[in-house]
Amino acid sequence: MLKTGMKAFIETTTKYWTGEVEDFDFDYIVLKKAAWIPDTGRLSDCFTTGECAEVEPYPDNVMVRVKIDQIVNVTDWPFPLPRTRK
């Protein structure tokens, strides 16, 4: 279930994102402390360790809006949000 304040890993048709859900509606999920994840490495390792092969974080004061109709799935992210470029 999607809710504000949750840390999420979002898979879209073209990209992966992590972030904290700030808001959502029928068109967008708004993330703060967001990062684009160009490469997860082995996905099962990513979800076991919380480490991704590549991370491109946005500045903390930038909100990222992910279009709902591009989302494949949303998963709880039980790790600290990735905030360091890698």
Side-chain angles (χ1 to χ4, degrees):
M1 173 195 249
L2 189 63
K3 57 185 173 188
T4 56
M6 76 178 279
K7 292 184 294 183
F9 180 93
I10 299 174
E11 180 182 359
T12 68
T13 54
T14 60
K15 299 181 179 184
Y16 296 106
W17 300 91
T18 57
E20 182 180 332
V21 177
E22 175 74 11
D23 196 12
F24 60 93
D25 59 25
F26 292 108
D27 294 317
Y28 294 94
I29 294 176
V30 181
L31 299 175
K32 64 181 181 181
K33 298 180 185 169
W36 169 47
I37 310 297
D39 183 4
T40 62
R42 302 283 284 177
L43 191 59
S44 62
D45 291 343
C46 175
F47 275 98
T48 301
T49 66
E51 293 292 321
C52 301
E54 292 183 61
V55 176
E56 293 289 341
Y58 282 73
D60 285 346
N61 63 339
V62 174
M63 298 294 170
V64 173
R65 289 154 184 85
V66 180
K67 191 110 169 87
I68 291 283
D69 63 2
Q70 296 298 309
I71 293 175
V72 175
N73 66 54
V74 177
T75 306
D76 291 335
W77 184 253
F79 307 101
L81 291 169
R83 305 303 303 138
T84 304
R85 190 175 82 170
K86 177 175 165 185

Coordinates of all heavy atoms in Angstrom, one line a residue:
M1 N 0.8 -1.2 0.0 CA 0.0 0.0 0.0 C 0.9 1.2 0.0 O 1.8 1.4 0.8 CB -0.9 0.0 1.2 CG -1.7 1.3 1.4 SD -2.4 1.4 3.0 CE -4.1 1.2 2.7
L2 N 0.6 2.2 -0.9 CA 1.4 3.4 -1.0 C 0.9 4.4 0.1 O -0.3 4.5 0.3 CB 1.1 4.0 -2.4 CG 2.0 5.2 -2.8 CD1 3.4 4.8 -2.8 CD2 1.5 5.7 -4.1
K3 N 1.8 5.0 0.8 CA 1.5 6.0 1.8 C 2.6 7.0 1.9 O 3.7 6.7 1.7 CB 1.1 5.4 3.1 CG 2.3 4.5 3.7 CD 1.8 3.8 5.0 CE 2.9 2.9 5.4 NZ 2.5 2.0 6.5
T4 N 2.2 8.2 2.3 CA 3.2 9.3 2.5 C 4.1 8.9 3.6 O 3.8 8.2 4.6 CB 2.6 10.7 2.8 OG1 1.7 10.5 3.9 CG2 1.7 11.1 1.6
G5 N 5.4 9.3 3.5 CA 6.4 9.0 4.5 C 7.1 7.7 4.2 O 8.2 7.4 4.8
M6 N 6.6 6.8 3.4 CA 7.2 5.5 3.2 C 8.4 5.7 2.3 O 8.5 6.5 1.4 CB 6.3 4.5 2.6 CG 6.0 4.6 1.1 SD 4.9 3.4 0.4 CE 6.0 2.1 0.1
K7 N 9.5 4.9 2.5 CA 10.6 4.8 1.6 C 10.3 3.8 0.5 O 9.8 2.7 0.8 CB 11.9 4.4 2.3 CG 12.4 5.5 3.3 CD 13.7 5.1 4.0 CE 13.5 4.0 4.9 NZ 14.7 3.6 5.6
A8 N 10.5 4.2 -0.7 CA 10.0 3.3 -1.8 C 11.1 3.1 -2.9 O 12.0 4.0 -3.1 CB 8.8 4.0 -2.5
F9 N 11.1 2.0 -3.5 CA 11.8 1.6 -4.7 C 10.8 1.5 -5.8 O 9.9 0.7 -5.7 CB 12.6 0.3 -4.5 CG 13.4 -0.1 -5.7 CD1 14.7 0.2 -5.7 CD2 12.8 -0.9 -6.7 CE1 15.5 -0.2 -6.8 CE2 13.6 -1.3 -7.8 CZ 14.9 -0.9 -7.9
I10 N 10.9 2.4 -6.8 CA 9.9 2.4 -7.9 C 10.6 2.0 -9.2 O 11.6 2.5 -9.6 CB 9.3 3.8 -8.0 CG1 8.7 4.2 -6.7 CG2 8.4 3.9 -9.2 CD1 8.2 5.7 -6.6
E11 N 9.9 1.0 -9.8 CA 10.3 0.6 -11.2 C 9.4 1.2 -12.2 O 8.2 1.0 -12.1 CB 10.3 -0.9 -11.3 CG 10.7 -1.4 -12.6 CD 10.7 -2.9 -12.7 OE1 10.3 -3.6 -11.7 OE2 11.0 -3.5 -13.8
T12 N 9.9 2.0 -13.1 CA 9.1 2.5 -14.2 C 9.4 1.7 -15.5 O 10.3 0.8 -15.5 CB 9.3 4.0 -14.4 OG1 10.6 4.2 -15.0 CG2 9.1 4.8 -13.2
T13 N 8.8 2.1 -16.6 CA 9.0 1.4 -17.8 C 10.5 1.6 -18.3 O 11.0 0.8 -19.1 CB 8.0 1.8 -18.9 OG1 8.1 3.3 -19.0 CG2 6.6 1.4 -18.6
T14 N 11.1 2.6 -17.8 CA 12.5 2.9 -18.3 C 13.5 3.1 -17.2 O 14.7 3.1 -17.5 CB 12.5 4.2 -19.2 OG1 12.1 5.3 -18.4 CG2 11.7 4.0 -20.4
K15 N 13.1 3.3 -16.0 CA 14.1 3.7 -14.9 C 13.7 3.1 -13.6 O 12.5 2.7 -13.4 CB 14.2 5.2 -14.8 CG 14.6 6.0 -16.0 CD 14.7 7.4 -15.7 CE 15.2 8.2 -17.0 NZ 15.3 9.6 -16.7
Y16 N 14.6 3.1 -12.6 CA 14.4 2.8 -11.2 C 14.6 4.1 -10.4 O 15.4 4.9 -10.7 CB 15.4 1.8 -10.7 CG 15.3 0.4 -11.3 CD1 16.3 0.0 -12.2 CD2 14.3 -0.5 -11.0 CE1 16.3 -1.2 -12.8 CE2 14.2 -1.7 -11.6 CZ 15.2 -2.1 -12.5 OH 15.2 -3.3 -13.0
W17 N 13.8 4.3 -9.4 CA 13.9 5.4 -8.5 C 13.8 4.9 -7.0 O 13.1 4.0 -6.7 CB 12.7 6.4 -8.7 CG 12.7 7.0 -10.1 CD1 11.9 6.4 -11.1 CD2 13.3 8.1 -10.5 NE1 12.1 7.2 -12.2 CE2 13.0 8.3 -11.9 CE3 14.1 9.1 -9.9 CZ2 13.4 9.3 -12.7 CZ3 14.6 10.1 -10.7 CH2 14.2 10.2 -12.1
T18 N 14.5 5.6 -6.1 CA 14.2 5.5 -4.7 C 13.9 6.9 -4.2 O 14.2 7.9 -4.8 CB 15.5 5.0 -4.0 OG1 16.6 5.8 -4.2 CG2 15.8 3.5 -4.4
G19 N 13.2 6.9 -3.0 CA 12.9 8.1 -2.4 C 11.8 7.9 -1.3 O 11.3 6.9 -1.2
E20 N 11.6 9.0 -0.6 CA 10.5 9.0 0.4 C 9.3 9.7 -0.2 O 9.3 10.8 -0.8 CB 11.0 9.9 1.6 CG 9.9 9.9 2.7 CD 10.4 10.7 3.9 OE1 11.6 10.8 4.1 OE2 9.5 11.2 4.6
V21 N 8.1 9.0 -0.1 CA 6.9 9.5 -0.7 C 6.4 10.7 0.0 O 6.1 10.7 1.2 CB 5.8 8.4 -0.7 CG1 4.5 9.0 -1.3 CG2 6.3 7.2 -1.5
E22 N 6.4 11.9 -0.7 CA 6.0 13.1 -0.1 C 4.5 13.3 -0.3 O 3.8 13.8 0.5 CB 6.8 14.3 -0.7 CG 6.3 15.6 -0.3 CD 6.8 16.0 1.1 OE1 7.5 15.3 1.7 OE2 6.3 17.1 1.6
D23 N 4.0 12.9 -1.5 CA 2.6 13.1 -1.9 C 2.3 12.2 -3.1 O 3.3 11.7 -3.7 CB 2.4 14.5 -2.2 CG 0.9 14.9 -2.3 OD1 0.1 14.1 -1.8 OD2 0.6 16.0 -2.8
F24 N 1.1 11.9 -3.3 CA 0.7 11.2 -4.6 C -0.8 11.5 -4.9 O -1.5 11.9 -4.0 CB 0.9 9.7 -4.4 CG 0.1 9.0 -3.3 CD1 -1.1 8.4 -3.5 CD2 0.7 9.0 -2.0 CE1 -1.8 7.9 -2.5 CE2 0.0 8.4 -1.0 CZ -1.3 7.8 -1.2
D25 N -1.1 11.3 -6.2 CA -2.5 11.5 -6.6 C -2.6 10.5 -7.8 O -1.9 9.6 -8.0 CB -2.8 12.9 -7.0 CG -1.9 13.5 -8.0 OD1 -1.3 12.8 -8.9 OD2 -1.7 14.8 -8.1
F26 N -3.6 10.8 -8.6 CA -3.9 9.9 -9.8 C -2.9 10.0 -10.9 O -2.8 9.2 -11.8 CB -5.3 10.1 -10.3 CG -6.4 9.6 -9.3 CD1 -7.1 10.5 -8.7 CD2 -6.5 8.3 -9.1 CE1 -8.1 10.1 -7.8 CE2 -7.5 7.8 -8.2 CZ -8.3 8.7 -7.5
D27 N -2.1 11.1 -10.9 CA -1.1 11.4 -12.0 C 0.3 11.1 -11.6 O 1.1 10.7 -12.4 CB -1.3 12.8 -12.5 CG -2.6 13.0 -13.1 OD1 -3.1 12.1 -13.9 OD2 -3.3 14.1 -12.8
Y28 N 0.7 11.5 -10.4 CA 2.1 11.4 -10.0 C 2.3 10.9 -8.6 O 1.5 11.1 -7.7 CB 2.7 12.8 -10.0 CG 2.8 13.4 -11.4 CD1 1.8 14.2 -11.9 CD2 3.9 13.1 -12.2 CE1 1.9 14.8 -13.2 CE2 4.0 13.7 -13.5 CZ 3.0 14.5 -14.0 OH 3.0 15.0 -15.2
I29 N 3.5 10.3 -8.3 CA 4.0 10.1 -7.0 C 5.2 11.1 -6.8 O 6.0 11.2 -7.7 CB 4.6 8.7 -6.8 CG1 3.5 7.7 -6.9 CG2 5.3 8.6 -5.4 CD1 4.0 6.2 -6.8
V30 N 5.1 11.9 -5.8 CA 6.1 12.9 -5.5 C 7.1 12.4 -4.5 O 6.7 12.0 -3.4 CB 5.5 14.2 -5.0 CG1 6.6 15.3 -4.8 CG2 4.5 14.8 -6.0
L31 N 8.4 12.4 -4.9 CA 9.5 11.8 -4.0 C 10.4 12.9 -3.5 O 10.7 13.8 -4.3 CB 10.3 10.8 -4.7 CG 9.6 9.6 -5.3 CD1 10.6 8.8 -6.1 CD2 9.1 8.7 -4.1
K32 N 10.8 12.9 -2.2 CA 11.9 13.7 -1.7 C 13.0 12.8 -1.4 O 12.8 11.6 -1.3 CB 11.4 14.6 -0.5 CG 11.0 13.8 0.7 CD 10.6 14.8 1.8 CE 10.2 14.0 3.1 NZ 9.8 15.0 4.1
K33 N 14.2 13.4 -1.3 CA 15.4 12.6 -1.1 C 15.5 11.5 -2.2 O 15.8 10.3 -1.9 CB 15.5 12.0 0.3 CG 15.5 13.0 1.4 CD 15.6 12.4 2.7 CE 15.5 13.5 3.8 NZ 15.3 12.9 5.1
A34 N 15.2 11.9 -3.4 CA 15.1 10.9 -4.5 C 16.4 10.6 -5.2 O 17.3 11.5 -5.1 CB 14.1 11.5 -5.6
A35 N 16.5 9.5 -5.7 CA 17.7 9.1 -6.5 C 17.2 8.3 -7.7 O 16.3 7.4 -7.6 CB 18.7 8.3 -5.7
W36 N 17.8 8.5 -8.9 CA 17.7 7.7 -10.1 C 18.7 6.6 -9.9 O 19.9 6.8 -9.6 CB 17.9 8.5 -11.3 CG 18.0 7.7 -12.6 CD1 17.2 6.7 -13.0 CD2 19.0 7.9 -13.6 NE1 17.6 6.2 -14.2 CE2 18.7 6.9 -14.6 CE3 20.1 8.7 -13.7 CZ2 19.5 6.8 -15.7 CZ3 20.9 8.6 -14.9 CH2 20.6 7.6 -15.9
I37 N 18.2 5.4 -10.1 CA 19.1 4.2 -10.0 C 19.3 3.6 -11.4 O 18.5 2.9 -11.9 CB 18.5 3.1 -9.1 CG1 18.1 3.7 -7.7 CG2 19.5 2.0 -8.9 CD1 19.2 4.3 -6.9
P38 N 20.4 4.0 -12.1 CA 20.6 3.6 -13.5 C 20.9 2.1 -13.6 O 20.7 1.4 -14.6 CB 21.8 4.4 -14.0 CG 22.2 5.3 -13.0 CD 21.4 5.0 -11.8
D39 N 21.5 1.5 -12.5 CA 21.9 0.1 -12.5 C 21.8 -0.4 -11.1 O 22.5 0.1 -10.2 CB 23.3 0.0 -13.0 CG 23.8 -1.5 -13.1 OD1 23.0 -2.4 -12.8 OD2 25.0 -1.6 -13.5
T40 N 20.9 -1.4 -10.9 CA 20.8 -2.0 -9.5 C 21.9 -3.0 -9.2 O 22.1 -3.4 -8.1 CB 19.4 -2.7 -9.4 OG1 19.4 -3.8 -10.3 CG2 18.3 -1.8 -9.6
G41 N 22.6 -3.5 -10.3 CA 23.4 -4.7 -10.1 C 22.4 -5.8 -10.1 O 21.3 -5.8 -10.6
R42 N 22.8 -6.9 -9.4 CA 21.9 -8.0 -9.3 C 20.7 -7.6 -8.4 O 20.9 -7.1 -7.3 CB 22.5 -9.3 -8.6 CG 23.7 -9.8 -9.4 CD 23.4 -10.6 -10.6 NE 23.0 -11.9 -10.3 CZ 22.6 -12.8 -11.2 NH1 22.6 -12.4 -12.4 NH2 22.2 -13.9 -10.8
L43 N 19.5 -7.6 -8.9 CA 18.3 -7.1 -8.2 C 18.2 -7.7 -6.8 O 17.9 -7.1 -5.8 CB 17.1 -7.2 -9.0 CG 15.9 -6.4 -8.5 CD1 16.1 -4.9 -8.4 CD2 14.7 -6.6 -9.4
S44 N 18.4 -9.0 -6.8 CA 18.2 -9.7 -5.5 C 19.3 -9.3 -4.5 O 19.0 -9.1 -3.3 CB 18.3 -11.2 -5.7 OG 19.5 -11.6 -6.2
D45 N 20.5 -9.0 -4.9 CA 21.5 -8.4 -4.1 C 21.1 -7.0 -3.6 O 21.3 -6.7 -2.4 CB 22.9 -8.4 -4.7 CG 23.5 -9.8 -5.0 OD1 23.0 -10.7 -4.4 OD2 24.4 -9.8 -5.8
C46 N 20.6 -6.2 -4.5 CA 20.2 -4.9 -4.2 C 19.1 -4.9 -3.0 O 19.2 -4.1 -2.1 CB 19.6 -4.2 -5.4 SG 18.9 -2.6 -5.2
F47 N 18.2 -5.8 -3.1 CA 17.1 -5.9 -2.1 C 17.6 -6.7 -0.8 O 16.9 -6.7 0.2 CB 15.9 -6.5 -2.7 CG 15.0 -5.5 -3.4 CD1 15.1 -5.4 -4.7 CD2 14.2 -4.7 -2.6 CE1 14.3 -4.4 -5.4 CE2 13.4 -3.7 -3.2 CZ 13.5 -3.6 -4.6
T48 N 18.7 -7.3 -0.9 CA 19.3 -8.0 0.3 C 20.2 -7.1 1.1 O 20.1 -7.1 2.3 CB 20.1 -9.3 -0.1 OG1 19.2 -10.1 -0.8 CG2 20.6 -10.0 1.1
T49 N 20.9 -6.2 0.4 CA 21.9 -5.4 1.0 C 21.6 -3.9 1.1 O 22.2 -3.2 1.8 CB 23.3 -5.5 0.3 OG1 23.2 -5.0 -1.0 CG2 23.8 -7.0 0.3
G50 N 20.7 -3.5 0.2 CA 20.4 -2.1 0.0 C 21.4 -1.3 -0.8 O 21.4 -0.1 -0.9
E51 N 22.3 -2.0 -1.4 CA 23.4 -1.4 -2.3 C 23.0 -1.5 -3.7 O 22.7 -2.6 -4.2 CB 24.7 -2.1 -2.0 CG 25.3 -1.8 -0.6 CD 25.7 -0.4 -0.4 OE1 26.2 0.2 -1.3 OE2 25.4 0.1 0.7
C52 N 23.1 -0.4 -4.5 CA 22.9 -0.4 -5.9 C 24.2 -0.2 -6.6 O 25.1 0.5 -6.1 CB 21.9 0.7 -6.3 SG 20.3 0.5 -5.5
A53 N 24.4 -0.7 -7.8 CA 25.6 -0.6 -8.6 C 25.9 0.9 -8.9 O 27.0 1.3 -8.9 CB 25.6 -1.5 -9.8
E54 N 24.8 1.6 -9.3 CA 24.9 3.0 -9.7 C 23.8 3.8 -9.0 O 22.7 3.3 -9.0 CB 24.9 3.2 -11.2 CG 26.0 2.6 -12.0 CD 25.9 2.9 -13.5 OE1 25.9 4.1 -13.8 OE2 25.8 2.0 -14.2
V55 N 24.2 5.0 -8.6 CA 23.2 5.9 -7.9 C 23.4 7.3 -8.4 O 24.6 7.8 -8.3 CB 23.3 5.8 -6.4 CG1 22.3 6.8 -5.7 CG2 23.1 4.4 -5.9
E56 N 22.4 8.0 -8.8 CA 22.4 9.4 -9.1 C 21.4 10.2 -8.3 O 20.2 10.3 -8.6 CB 22.1 9.6 -10.6 CG 23.2 9.0 -11.5 CD 24.5 9.8 -11.5 OE1 24.5 11.0 -11.1 OE2 25.5 9.3 -12.0
P57 N 21.8 10.6 -7.1 CA 20.9 11.3 -6.2 C 20.5 12.7 -6.6 O 21.4 13.4 -7.2 CB 21.6 11.3 -4.8 CG 23.0 11.2 -5.2 CD 23.1 10.5 -6.5
Y58 N 19.3 13.1 -6.4 CA 18.9 14.5 -6.6 C 19.2 15.2 -5.3 O 19.2 14.6 -4.2 CB 17.4 14.6 -6.9 CG 17.1 14.2 -8.3 CD1 17.1 12.9 -8.8 CD2 16.7 15.2 -9.2 CE1 16.8 12.6 -10.1 CE2 16.3 14.9 -10.5 CZ 16.4 13.6 -10.9 OH 16.1 13.3 -12.2
P59 N 19.4 16.6 -5.3 CA 19.6 17.3 -4.1 C 18.3 17.2 -3.2 O 17.2 17.0 -3.7 CB 19.7 18.8 -4.6 CG 20.2 18.7 -6.0 CD 19.5 17.4 -6.5
D60 N 18.5 17.3 -1.9 CA 17.4 17.0 -0.9 C 16.3 18.0 -1.2 O 15.1 17.7 -0.9 CB 18.0 17.2 0.5 CG 18.8 16.0 1.0 OD1 18.7 15.0 0.3 OD2 19.4 16.1 2.0
N61 N 16.5 19.2 -1.6 CA 15.5 20.2 -1.8 C 14.7 20.1 -3.2 O 13.9 20.9 -3.5 CB 16.0 21.6 -1.6 CG 17.0 22.0 -2.7 OD1 17.6 21.1 -3.3 ND2 17.2 23.2 -2.9
V62 N 15.0 19.1 -4.0 CA 14.4 18.9 -5.3 C 13.4 17.7 -5.1 O 13.7 16.6 -4.7 CB 15.4 18.5 -6.4 CG1 14.8 18.2 -7.7 CG2 16.4 19.7 -6.5
M63 N 12.1 18.0 -5.5 CA 11.1 17.0 -5.5 C 11.0 16.4 -6.9 O 11.1 17.1 -7.9 CB 9.7 17.6 -5.2 CG 9.6 18.3 -3.8 SD 9.8 17.0 -2.5 CE 9.9 18.0 -1.1
V64 N 11.0 15.1 -7.0 CA 10.9 14.4 -8.2 C 9.5 13.8 -8.4 O 8.9 13.2 -7.4 CB 11.9 13.2 -8.3 CG1 11.7 12.3 -9.5 CG2 13.3 13.8 -8.2
R65 N 8.8 14.1 -9.5 CA 7.5 13.6 -9.8 C 7.6 12.4 -10.8 O 8.0 12.6 -11.9 CB 6.6 14.7 -10.3 CG 6.3 15.7 -9.2 CD 6.0 17.1 -9.8 NE 5.8 18.1 -8.7 CZ 6.8 18.7 -8.1 NH1 8.1 18.5 -8.4 NH2 6.5 19.6 -7.1
V66 N 7.1 11.3 -10.3 CA 7.1 10.1 -11.2 C 5.7 9.8 -11.7 O 4.8 9.7 -10.9 CB 7.6 8.8 -10.4 CG1 7.6 7.6 -11.3 CG2 9.0 9.1 -9.8
K67 N 5.6 9.8 -13.0 CA 4.2 9.6 -13.6 C 3.7 8.3 -13.3 O 4.3 7.2 -13.5 CB 4.4 9.9 -15.1 CG 3.1 10.0 -15.8 CD 2.9 11.4 -16.3 CE 1.7 11.5 -17.2 NZ 0.5 11.7 -16.5
I68 N 2.5 8.2 -12.7 CA 1.8 7.0 -12.3 C 1.7 6.0 -13.5 O 1.9 4.8 -13.3 CB 0.4 7.3 -11.7 CG1 0.6 8.0 -10.3 CG2 -0.4 6.0 -11.6 CD1 1.0 7.1 -9.2
D69 N 1.3 6.5 -14.6 CA 1.0 5.6 -15.7 C 2.3 4.9 -16.3 O 2.3 4.1 -17.2 CB 0.2 6.2 -16.8 CG 0.8 7.4 -17.5 OD1 2.0 7.7 -17.2 OD2 0.1 7.9 -18.4
Q70 N 3.5 5.4 -15.8 CA 4.8 4.8 -16.2 C 5.3 3.8 -15.2 O 6.3 3.1 -15.4 CB 5.8 5.9 -16.4 CG 5.5 6.8 -17.5 CD 5.4 6.1 -18.9 OE1 6.3 5.4 -19.3 NE2 4.3 6.3 -19.6
I71 N 4.6 3.6 -14.1 CA 5.1 2.8 -13.0 C 4.7 1.3 -13.3 O 3.6 1.0 -13.6 CB 4.5 3.2 -11.6 CG1 5.2 4.6 -11.3 CG2 4.8 2.2 -10.6 CD1 4.6 5.2 -10.1
V72 N 5.7 0.4 -13.1 CA 5.5 -1.0 -13.2 C 5.2 -1.6 -11.8 O 4.3 -2.4 -11.7 CB 6.8 -1.7 -13.8 CG1 6.6 -3.2 -13.8 CG2 7.0 -1.2 -15.2
N73 N 6.0 -1.2 -10.8 CA 5.7 -1.6 -9.4 C 6.4 -0.6 -8.5 O 7.3 0.1 -8.8 CB 6.1 -3.0 -9.2 CG 7.6 -3.3 -9.3 OD1 8.4 -2.6 -8.6 ND2 8.0 -4.2 -10.1
V74 N 5.8 -0.7 -7.2 CA 6.4 0.1 -6.1 C 6.7 -0.9 -5.0 O 5.8 -1.7 -4.6 CB 5.4 1.2 -5.6 CG1 6.0 1.9 -4.4 CG2 5.1 2.2 -6.7
T75 N 7.9 -0.9 -4.5 CA 8.3 -1.8 -3.4 C 8.7 -1.0 -2.2 O 9.4 0.0 -2.4 CB 9.4 -2.7 -3.9 OG1 9.0 -3.3 -5.1 CG2 9.8 -3.7 -2.9
D76 N 8.4 -1.5 -1.0 CA 9.0 -0.9 0.2 C 10.5 -1.0 0.1 O 11.0 -2.0 -0.3 CB 8.5 -1.6 1.5 CG 7.0 -1.4 1.7 OD1 6.5 -0.4 1.3 OD2 6.4 -2.3 2.4
W77 N 11.2 0.1 0.6 CA 12.6 0.1 0.6 C 13.1 0.1 2.1 O 13.0 1.2 2.7 CB 13.2 1.3 -0.1 CG 14.6 1.4 -0.2 CD1 15.5 2.2 0.4 CD2 15.5 0.5 -1.1 NE1 16.8 2.0 0.1 CE2 16.8 0.9 -0.8 CE3 15.2 -0.5 -1.9 CZ2 17.9 0.3 -1.5 CZ3 16.3 -1.1 -2.6 CH2 17.6 -0.7 -2.3
P78 N 13.5 -1.0 2.7 CA 13.7 -1.1 4.1 C 15.1 -0.6 4.5 O 15.5 -0.9 5.7 CB 13.5 -2.6 4.4 CG 13.9 -3.3 3.1 CD 13.5 -2.3 2.0
F79 N 15.8 0.0 3.6 CA 17.2 0.4 3.9 C 17.3 2.0 3.9 O 16.4 2.6 3.5 CB 18.1 -0.1 2.8 CG 18.0 -1.5 2.5 CD1 17.3 -2.0 1.5 CD2 18.6 -2.4 3.4 CE1 17.1 -3.4 1.2 CE2 18.5 -3.8 3.2 CZ 17.8 -4.3 2.1
P80 N 18.4 2.5 4.4 CA 18.6 4.0 4.2 C 18.5 4.3 2.7 O 19.0 3.6 1.9 CB 20.0 4.2 4.8 CG 20.2 3.1 5.7 CD 19.5 1.9 5.1
L81 N 17.9 5.5 2.4 CA 17.9 5.9 1.1 C 19.3 6.2 0.5 O 20.1 6.8 1.2 CB 17.0 7.1 0.9 CG 15.5 6.9 1.2 CD1 14.8 8.3 1.3 CD2 14.9 6.0 0.1
P82 N 19.6 5.8 -0.7 CA 20.9 6.1 -1.3 C 21.0 7.6 -1.5 O 20.2 8.1 -2.3 CB 21.0 5.2 -2.5 CG 19.6 4.8 -2.8 CD 18.8 4.9 -1.6
R83 N 22.0 8.2 -0.9 CA 22.2 9.6 -1.1 C 23.6 10.0 -1.6 O 23.9 11.2 -1.8 CB 22.0 10.4 0.3 CG 20.7 10.1 0.9 CD 19.4 10.4 0.1 NE 19.4 11.8 -0.3 CZ 19.1 12.2 -1.5 NH1 18.7 11.4 -2.5 NH2 19.1 13.5 -1.8
T84 N 24.4 9.0 -1.9 CA 25.8 9.3 -2.4 C 25.9 8.8 -3.8 O 25.5 7.6 -4.1 CB 26.8 8.5 -1.5 OG1 26.6 8.9 -0.2 CG2 28.2 8.8 -2.0
R85 N 26.4 9.6 -4.7 CA 26.6 9.3 -6.1 C 27.6 8.1 -6.2 O 28.6 8.1 -5.6 CB 27.1 10.5 -6.9 CG 27.0 10.2 -8.4 CD 27.4 11.4 -9.1 NE 28.9 11.5 -9.1 CZ 29.5 12.3 -9.9 NH1 28.9 13.2 -10.6 NH2 30.9 12.3 -9.9
K86 N 27.2 7.2 -7.1 CA 28.1 6.0 -7.3 C 27.9 5.5 -8.7 O 26.9 5.5 -9.3 CB 27.5 5.0 -6.2 CG 28.1 3.7 -6.2 CD 27.5 3.0 -5.0 CE 27.8 1.5 -5.1 NZ 27.1 0.8 -4.1

